[in-house]
Amino acid sequence: MPTPIILDCDPGHDDAIAILLALASPELDLVGITTVAGNTTVDKTTVNALRVLAVAGRPDVPVAAGADRPLVRELHVAEHIHGVSGLDGPEVPEAASEPVPGHAVEAMAGWLAAAARPVTLVPTGPLTNIALLLERHPQVRPSIERIVLMGGSIGLGNVTPSAEFNIWVDPDAAAAVFGSGLDVTMVGLDVTHHTLLSVDDSEVLRASGSVGRFVAELTDFFRARYARIYGDPIAPIHDAAAVAHVIDPTIIKTRRLNVEVETASPLTVGRTVVDLMGVSGRSDNAWVGVTVEGRRFSELLVDRLTGLDGHAGSASGL
Ligand code: RIB
Ligand code: CA
């Protein structure tokens, strides 16, 4: 039985690849996509999600637009990494579908209520929609199997020395999710800086067909931006690592730890404080990714994406 998932995302190059991995994997049933402001504004992340579905020939997958800003703070976007469109680099086809009416939080609540069994939420952007869902619709908690999120870091940050971008954009929402008492898994930078697509991987993808060519062009752009901004020409496919963990939980090793989110200090706001040494006395509240078999990740990703062609509803091996 495939695992039902809802992807809550801010496409974004790596979010786009996460969507395609989910569509290409028979272990998953992508119930729907919700979008949030993060890498760029929510109008753009929403149209980007629709355009990625057009690339995959899957306009049937429902997309609902969510929060246009964090719970209480101003929105900060990452267009310096993802470009003004949020998906700069490749030629991206126009959307072949429209978002469902209404807010993503109501859509998620409806999808969860209608689900035949509990659904895994896979947030790969700021956690604003998830925090709003838990606040406005507490009745859906039994319909949430677990939350496997891309965000945070045991070690250094990427948007400040302390904080990873998704948590930093909306630390109040992140604190609510880690404090929710739900089964939360954090796939952070300690793992995702090793879940890379290499130049060779991109060439294999480029030769494989329309979807592979699109992903290769996404990684071309992403690698060039990483080189310019961080001085390291790598393409960490952060968000696909969270999806990969749902597909095959042996690729990323996790430990049960306490995670708290800094929401006050101007210097370290957005930091996930992970009690790796068990010194805080605080109870464990999350599974935290600590190591990853990077080559197994990229082999899974390339294998699945080369098998996904861009025709309506088809993906070889499904
Ligand atoms: O820090 C990496 C995360 O921030 C990824 O989800 C990327 O898409 C951006 O949202
Ligand atoms: Ca993202």
Side-chain angles (χ1 to χ4, degrees), residues 278-299:
V279 295
S280 69
R282 295 188 291 262
S283 57
D284 298 340
N285 60 347
W287 298 97
V288 178
V290 289
T291 57
V292 58
E293 294 180 55
R295 198 65 216 140
R296 286 185 62 206
F297 166 82
S298 44
E299 283 167 0

Side-chain angles (χ1 to χ4, degrees), residues 23-229:
L23 291 172
S25 299
E27 300 87 347
L28 305 180
D29 169 20
L30 181 54
V31 171
I33 295 173
T34 50
T35 57
V36 66
N39 284 324
T40 187
T41 52
V42 72
D43 55 322
K44 294 180 187 176
T45 60
T46 303
V47 74
N48 288 342
L50 295 168
R51 294 167 77 182
V52 172
L53 291 172
V55 169
R58 291 297 307 276
D60 57 295
V61 177
V63 174
D68 61 3
R69 54 163 298 158
L71 294 181
V72 292
R73 296 167 198 258
E74 290 305 309
L75 174 63
H76 296 279
V77 297
E79 293 180 354
H80 60 299
I81 291 185
H82 297 274
V84 173
S85 75
L87 277 185
D88 280 18
E91 279 296 311
V92 193
E94 290 308 314
S97 51
E98 295 285 327
V100 301
H103 194 282
V105 169
E106 313 322 312
M108 260 196 284
W111 297 337
L112 288 167
R117 54 202 184 92
V119 178
T120 296
L121 304 185
V122 184
T124 63
L127 292 162
T128 316
N129 287 339
I130 309 302
L132 289 170
L133 173 74
L134 299 179
E135 179 190 334
R136 293 179 186 169
H137 298 282
Q139 78 283 2
V140 302
R141 288 173 62 103
S143 302
I144 300 172
E145 175 73 19
R146 61 177 176 148
I147 298 173
V148 181
L149 65 93
M150 190 281 139
S153 172
I154 300 168
L156 300 178
N158 60 357
V159 66
T160 75
S162 291
E164 177 280 326
F165 179 78
N166 288 339
I167 309 299
W168 175 81
V169 168
D170 198 342
D172 309 286
V177 170
F178 281 102
S180 66
L182 290 169
D183 181 344
V184 175
T185 296
M186 173 183 129
V187 178
L189 295 177
D190 322 276
V191 161
T192 67
H193 277 150
H194 303 283
T195 55
L196 312 173
L197 278 179
S198 68
V199 171
D200 289 348
D201 293 330
S202 296
E203 292 318 312
V204 169
L205 287 164
R206 201 184 314 275
S208 68
S210 60
V211 173
R213 187 168 53 254
F214 173 68
V215 172
E217 291 172 359
L218 285 174
T219 57
D220 294 344
F221 182 89
F222 210 34
R223 205 172 284 117
R225 282 294 164 106
Y226 259 73
R228 184 198 305 181
I229 292 163

Side-chain angles (χ1 to χ4, degrees), residues 239-261:
D239 296 334
V243 172
H245 187 60
V246 183
I247 295 167
D248 180 349
T250 67
I251 295 177
I252 294 172
K253 179 170 174 288
T254 61
R255 282 183 57 192
R256 189 87 181 135
L257 297 167
N258 174 266
V259 180
E260 303 295 336
V261 179

Side-chain angles (χ1 to χ4, degrees), residues 257-272:
L257 297 167
N258 174 266
V259 180
E260 303 295 336
V261 179
E262 175 60 64
T263 57
S265 154
L267 182 63
T268 57
V269 64
R271 176 163 187 71
T272 45

